[in-house]
Amino acid sequence: HRAVLSGFLSNIAQKKDKNLYRAARGREAMIFPGSGLFNKAGEWIVAAEMVETSRLFARTVASIDAGWLEAAGGGLCRTSVRDARWDAKRGEVVGTEQVTLFGLVIVPARTVSYGRVNPAAATDLFIRQALIAGELGKPFAFMVHNQAMIAKVRAIEERLRRRDLLVSEEALGGFYRSRLAEVYDVRRLSRLIRQHGGDDFLRMAEDDLMNYRPEPAELDLYPERLKAGEQSFGLRYCFEPGGEADGVTLQVPSGLAAAVPPAALDWLVPGLLREKVALLLKALPKALRTRLMPLKDTVDVIVAEMPRGHGPLLSALGEFVHRRFGVDVPAAAWPVAALPDHLQMRVTVTAPDGRELGSGRDPAILRLQATASRVPSDVRQLWERIGITRWDFGDLPEVITSPAGERTAWAAYPALRVQSDRIDLKLFARRDQALAVHPRAVAALLALHCGRDVKFLRRSLALPEELHPAARPLGGARHLEDAMAERVIQDLFAVDVRSEKAFNEYAAASAPKLLAAGRDLLYAVIPVVQTYAVARADIAALAGGRGPLAAIHGQLTEAISHLVPQNFIALYDRPRLVHLERYLRALSIRARRALVDPEKDRAKSQGPQKYVERLRVMLQTLGPQSSAGKRHALEELAWMIEEYNVSIFAQELKTVGPMSPKRLEEKIGEIERMA
C-alpha cells in the first residue's frame, strides 16, 4: 500500500461520512459501490483512479495510514506553525504545526520548536515568559539574583510610596535581548553560560533596574525599624491605596504588645509625618486655618522645629502651634477622621511562632492578648448579668479597658447575648463577636418590653385553616406562624442600641409598626405555601416512574427541598418571597411537562443541572477565610440559576431580567477570581 501510495498521491482522501471522503483539492468522492472496501474502508484511502459519472467515484481503493503521507508527500506538503508559547516542561518556546497535502490536513496539531520557524520572536517570548516572568521549573542562579534585586527595588518603592524607580518590563527585556541572540530554550541558554564561563553577564545591578537613585537622606525618612517605648519593632511598608495593608505596619510580638504606647503610633515615620501634618492643617475649620496661612510654610516650620516623640502627636502639635504661631487649636478640632488609611499606623500582633493573631489601625489591637478571659473577676462581676428581662443595667460602652497603669492590660467588649431562651450581658474578647450577637439580643429584649404589641402580632399571623394541610411538610402552621413573628421582630427590633434612652425611644417608634409588618409578611407567605403544596403534588405524580422519570423526580424533590426549607421565612427577606412563588410555579410546570415527555425534560435539564453542580462544588470549597463578597456573589449565582430554570422550563413566567449561559459563565468567572 505504501508503494501504491507514492504513485497516486493526488488520489488520497479522508473520511467525511460513511463511504464519503474529502479528496484532494477540495473535492468530495464516494467509494465505488462495487469496491471490496465499500462500507469497510478506513479513515484514509488512496484510489487508483477517480472517475466522475453521476458523481466523483474513487475506484480501486486501498486503506492507508495517515502517518505515511508526510514522508510520501515530501516537498508537496505545506506546513504552518501557530500559537507560539513557552513550554516549561520541554524547556523551550514551541508552536503548533499543521501539515497539509493537496489541501488535506494530514498532521492537524504537532508541537514543534518555534525557534527554527521564527528565532527572533521565539527569543523574545523566551525572555518575557521564562526569564522575566520566571516560568521555569528550576530557575537559573542569575534569575534568583535578579529577582532578589527587583524585590529590593520594589521594597524601596513601597517605602517611598511611588512606582517610578523600577524600570519597565520592556527595559528588563532589553537587558536580556542585548546579551542573548537566538536563545529560545534552556539548552541553548545553558550552553551560552558555559561559553561565557559563568552567568555574570546576565546578572543585573541596581543601575540596570532603577530609573534613578533616591537620595540616602530620603531613604532615612522611612526606617526599617521603629522604637516604641523601650523596644524596637520591625516595619513593613505597602503602597497599595485602598488596600487593607496600605501604609506602614508595625510588627509587634504578642508578648510585647502591652509595652507599645499607643501615642507612638501617631507619629508614623518621618517620611509620612509631613503629609499627615499638612492634611491635618488643611482640614481644620476655616477660622483656624486662615490664621496659619500659607500652609506650606507653616508645615515646613512644624516639621523642622517641633519636638518629636513626646506624647500624642495631636497634643504636641497643638502645643507647638500655640507657642510658635499663637493659634489655640483644641484637640477636638483636629480632623483625625479625615486622614486616609496610609497616614494611620497599622499594627500586626504576632504569636511566638510567627502566626498573625490580629491586625488593624485601632490601637486597641495591641491588647489582643489581653482577652476577656483575663478580665479581672471583680470587673466581670460588675458587668456580667444573666436572665435580663428589662434594660436596667445602664449604658453599654463599645469597649472597656484596663485602667491606666494597671500591670496587666486587657480589653473587653460588652454586649447582650441570647442564650437558649435567656438574655445575658457578657464580656467578649473581640469586637466582632460582640457585634454579631448584640442586635439579636436587643430584639429579644425589645420583644419583652413591647410584650402587648408582640402578643397582638402573634394573633394576627394565623394561617387560614385550609392551608394547614399544605403547611405540614414545612413544620406545620404553628411553626410557620412562630417563624413569621420571629422574622418581624428581628426585622424591626434587631438594632445596635447601647443606652436605655435609645432603647426606649426605639421601642416607642417601632412597636406601632409590628402589625403592619406582620400582615405584609403573612400576605407574602400564604402564596408561597399554596404554591409549594401544588408543586409537591405535581412532583409526587412523578414518583414510581422508571428511567428518566425517576431521575427527574429525584432532581425536583431535591430542588424543592433546597428552595423551600422549613426555615425559609428566616432565610429569605420579604422581597425574595415573590420570586420564590414564581420559582415554585416553574417547578410545577416542569413536573407536569416532564410527565408527558420525560426525554425532552432530560435534554433540557442538562444545561441547568451543570450549573447546579458547579455551584455545589464552589460552596464546598468555601472556607473561613472566604470573603463576604464571595459569599454574596455565590448567593446571587444561586438565584441566577433559578431564573435560568424559569427561562428553560417555564418561559411563560418570564425572568426578572435577561438570563443565559453566557451570563452564568461570567458570574462564575467573577466568583472564581474572588478569594
Side-chain angles (χ1 to χ4, degrees), residues 75-151:
L76 296 175
C77 296
R78 298 289 179 266
T79 62
S80 62
V81 182
R82 65 185 187 281
D83 190 22
R85 61 197 180 277
W86 165 248
D87 189 326
K89 188 174 181 180
R90 289 173 57 131
E92 65 176 334
V93 177
V94 300
T96 301
E97 182 181 54
Q98 185 182 82
V99 183
T100 61
L101 179 60
F102 298 123
L104 295 175
V105 178
I106 61 175
V107 179
R110 179 169 60 198
T111 300
V112 297
S113 173
Y114 193 68
R116 63 177 175 82
V117 179
N118 190 335
T123 299
D124 186 66
L125 191 57
F126 176 75
I127 289 171
R128 285 189 287 109
Q129 296 295 114
L131 302 186
I132 296 178
E135 296 178 6
L136 270 176
K138 184 178 180 181
F140 286 82
F142 75 87
M143 294 174 62
V144 176
H145 167 83
N146 292 347
Q147 286 300 321
M149 295 296 293
I150 290 172

Side-chain angles (χ1 to χ4, degrees), residues 268-279:
L268 291 173
V269 293
L272 294 175
L273 184 61
R274 171 183 290 275
E275 183 183 356
K276 184 171 185 175
V277 170
L279 282 178

